[in-house]
Amino acid sequence: MPYLSQMLGKPVVDAQGERIGSISDLAISTGEVFPRITSLAFKGPGRTPFMISWRKYVGTFDEEGITLSVDAPDIRFSYLQPDEVLLARDLMDRQIVDTQGMKVVRVNDLKLSQSGNQLRLLGAEVGTRGILRGIHPLLERFMLSLSKVLHKPLDEHLIAWNYMDLLDRDLSEVQLSVTHRRLDELHPADVADILEQLDPQQRASVFKHLDEAHLSDAVSEMVDDVQAEFLDDLDDATAAQVISNMDPDDAADIVRDLSYEKAETLLRLIGVEDATEIRRLLGYKDGTAGGMMTTQFVAVPEKSTVRETIDVLRGLDEDHPTVHYVYALDDDGRLVGVLSMRTLVLSADDAVLEDIMYTEVISAPPDETEDEVVEDIFKYDIPAMPVVDENGGLLGIVTTEDAWDAIEEEVINEKNHPKPLKVVGALAATIVGLTVYTIVLVEIFKMTGLPTL
């Protein structure tokens, strides 16, 4: 997770990889609950200050710096707008007070939330870690390691942006307690990014600003571990409401990660129909086609006409997932054909589905592995793959969105649980680093005359 202090001074290069300066500041517009970075300020040759639009020109960024999406000659510079403030210049080292009036503190660093190539200001770090990081990131890491050895936690102390107010009235245009823009105006994925990075108490405060539908959408976008943790922090009635507002496959994935007692409590509190659907999905093993499929699809008898099928589509609920295909079933409920939306729209109203449907259907059994399903979806370039039982009965569908979710989960798991060799290497590096730091600290104590342990 990037902090402002970690970005300042990092190089800025153009699309050709030519260095054109170093990051000096980031600007935000104060009209959002968790405002996006709107401008990039950097120092060019001769330490000349420049400012450019983040959205127009920033291509990628990481711990190494920022790469622009255009060549240097194509950059058009801009100026700070009336509703913008610079993070380092206007907020760092300022005194702030949260809106509850608990205490006055100083901004030691600013935490940012990353989503793709977009950055948002999440809040202010007001604890010791922000000070240590500002001196040098390695010092923060060393003190974290030392605190673990001494069993004295060195926690992050973050105050969310929308719970702060500025004491310095010389900057009267900066209003940190933003109320005129609702949190539910953000995309659920952005809200999920924000909620994942807050502690439980802050998380509970933020989600109060979301209605039930937006909260459920945001929870669906969270990573698995955080989803379960988040629901555990909610009271049972609220958690059950969140689950009931979700798509059955998303709800089943979350319930699967809960303790048995919590899962049973929530399933008893939601509607019988929803609970039955979720329990059915829980019957399939995780990591299989059955475990990743959704049961929200459109299936009609093969004898139906195009007009009758379109009437079924028009009768779907507003929140029904996007329909890519209509599946045709025979009299015994077996999947016998599939029709795209294009086929339905271009066919005559009185055309019968069995005469126009595509019968060479690519499907998967419920016990097929997740990897095999994902591979087939991308191999055959299909938006959704039906899952059928041994008799050909349609059980559900796996969409490209489900496939991407599986890939994302695998990437996250690899990141959080690296191979043993990587773990051993990292552990060895940590031990060496701690040894070096210990030697350095002992020498510093000797030079200053302070007692050593």
Side-chain angles (χ1 to χ4, degrees):
M1 172 47 48
Y3 290 86
L4 179 63
S5 63
Q6 295 172 332
M7 299 190 69
L8 297 179
K10 293 297 175 65
V12 178
V13 300
D14 68 4
Q16 296 298 321
E18 180 182 349
R19 178 164 179 160
I20 61 174
S22 58
I23 302 170
S24 60
D25 217 331
L26 302 175
I28 59 168
S29 174
T30 57
E32 295 182 307
V33 174
F34 291 99
R36 286 170 289 184
I37 301 300
T38 52
S39 298
L40 165 66
F42 65 93
K43 291 180 180 178
R47 299 184 64 81
T48 305
F50 296 101
M51 180 171 287
I52 59 175
S53 166
W54 181 280
R55 180 180 60 83
K56 288 182 180 179
Y57 296 114
V58 173
T60 60
F61 63 91
D62 54 28
E63 63 275 5
E64 301 300 325
I66 288 178
T67 300
L68 304 183
S69 57
V70 300
D71 297 341
D74 298 326
I75 298 174
R76 298 294 178 266
F77 301 106
S78 58
Y79 301 94
L80 197 67
Q81 301 302 306
D83 64 339
E84 288 182 319
V85 295
L86 290 168
L87 300 187
R89 187 194 72 180
D90 298 333
L91 301 182
M92 286 285 280
D93 298 323
R94 298 282 178 175
Q95 284 187 312
I96 60 170
V97 61
D98 65 16
T99 52
Q100 306 300 319
M102 291 189 294
K103 58 182 178 180
V104 177
V105 290
R106 183 174 296 276
V107 178
N108 298 322
D109 207 348
L110 292 160
K111 189 170 186 178
L112 306 169
S113 170
Q114 179 179 352
S115 179
N117 71 333
Q118 184 182 94
L119 274 179
R120 291 182 184 274
L121 175 59
L122 187 59
E125 165 63 64
V126 297
T128 305
R129 285 183 58 175
I131 299 174
L132 297 173
R133 193 183 308 115
I135 298 173
H136 199 288
L138 292 178
L139 181 58
E140 180 198 12
R141 294 177 195 171
F142 170 72
M143 293 306 296
L144 279 173
S145 301
L146 186 60
S147 68
K148 290 178 181 178
V149 172
L150 299 176
H151 302 291
K152 299 287 186 181
L154 187 61
D155 295 328
E156 178 184 71
H157 293 284
L158 185 73
I159 298 181
W161 167 267
N162 61 323
Y163 293 110
M164 299 188 299
D165 194 9
L166 200 69
L167 293 182
D168 185 356
R169 290 303 143 192
D170 292 335
L171 289 173
S172 58
E173 74 274 18
V174 180
Q175 177 53 251
L176 301 189
S177 183
V178 181
T179 57
H180 63 274
R181 174 144 191 200
R182 290 177 56 81
L183 190 62
D184 56 22
E185 292 180 33
L186 298 178
H187 190 281
D190 290 328
V191 178
D193 284 341
I194 291 166
L195 290 174
E196 286 172 3
Q197 296 157 61
L198 298 176
D199 63 38
Q201 184 177 1
Q202 293 169 332
R203 202 179 287 156
S205 299
V206 171
F207 92 78
K208 290 177 182 178
H209 295 273
L210 293 166
D211 59 36
E212 291 175 353
H214 283 87
L215 178 58
S216 297
D217 289 341
V219 174
S220 297
E221 297 286 346
M222 291 178 177
V223 297
D224 293 350
D225 292 344
V226 179
Q227 286 176 332
E229 178 187 331
F230 183 71
L231 287 183
D232 272 334
D233 292 335
L234 300 178
D235 63 83
D236 291 341
T238 304
Q241 190 61 51
V242 170
I243 289 290
S244 65
N245 286 333
M246 298 174 69
D247 293 340
D249 57 324
D250 291 334
D253 288 340
I254 295 177
V255 171
R256 187 179 281 114
D257 291 331
L258 297 173
S259 66
Y260 176 80
E261 294 76 11
K262 182 78 172 183
E264 284 300 313
T265 299
L266 298 187
L267 289 174
R268 284 196 297 269
L269 289 174
I270 66 177
V272 175
E273 185 177 342
D274 289 338
T276 301
E277 197 61 46
I278 293 171
R279 288 184 188 278
R280 189 164 77 86
L281 290 171
L282 289 173
Y284 297 102
K285 188 177 177 181
D286 194 20
T288 64
M292 65 189 301
M293 71 182 182
T294 177
T295 54
Q296 292 184 299
F297 56 84
V298 177
V300 296
E302 61 179 333
K303 303 292 184 183
S304 302
T305 63
V306 168
R307 182 186 298 108
E308 291 169 339
T309 304
I310 291 177
D311 285 341
V312 170
L313 293 171
R314 286 173 174 164
L316 295 176
D317 292 337
E318 233 178 78
D319 59 350
H320 193 282
T322 301
V323 177
H324 299 287
Y325 296 117
V326 169
Y327 299 95
L329 310 178
D330 65 12
D331 293 338
D332 295 321
R334 293 189 294 262
L335 176 63
V336 292
V338 61
L339 298 98
S340 66
M341 294 298 101
R342 183 177 184 275
T343 300
L344 286 172
V345 170
L346 296 179
S347 299
D349 286 350
D350 57 355
V352 180
L353 299 192
E354 64 179 342
D355 297 329
I356 60 174
M357 67 187 184
Y358 184 72
T359 57
E360 298 296 322
V361 183
I362 300 170
S363 62
D367 58 352
E368 185 167 297
T369 67
E370 199 172 73
D371 290 342
E372 292 172 325
V373 176
V374 171
E375 182 180 346
D376 284 344
I377 284 177
F378 291 114
K379 176 181 178 180
Y380 297 108
D381 192 22
I382 50 178
M385 177 182 286
V387 180
V388 298
D389 61 23
E390 66 239 9
N391 299 316
L394 182 58
L395 301 173
I397 61 172
V398 178
T399 66
T400 49
E401 182 182 355
D402 298 323
W404 280 116
D405 286 345
I407 293 173
E408 181 183 20
E409 183 178 346
E410 184 175 339
V411 171
I412 291 173
N413 286 338
E414 172 62 22
K415 181 179 179 182
N416 293 336
H417 305 286
K419 291 180 171 56
L421 187 59
K422 292 182 180 180
V423 174
V424 172
L427 181 59
T430 301
I431 293 172
V432 171
L434 281 173
T435 303
V436 171
Y437 270 115
T438 302
I439 294 171
V440 171
L441 281 180
V442 169
E443 292 301 318
I444 291 173
F445 275 78
K446 286 181 179 177
M447 286 188 296
T448 57
L450 295 173
T452 57
L453 295 177

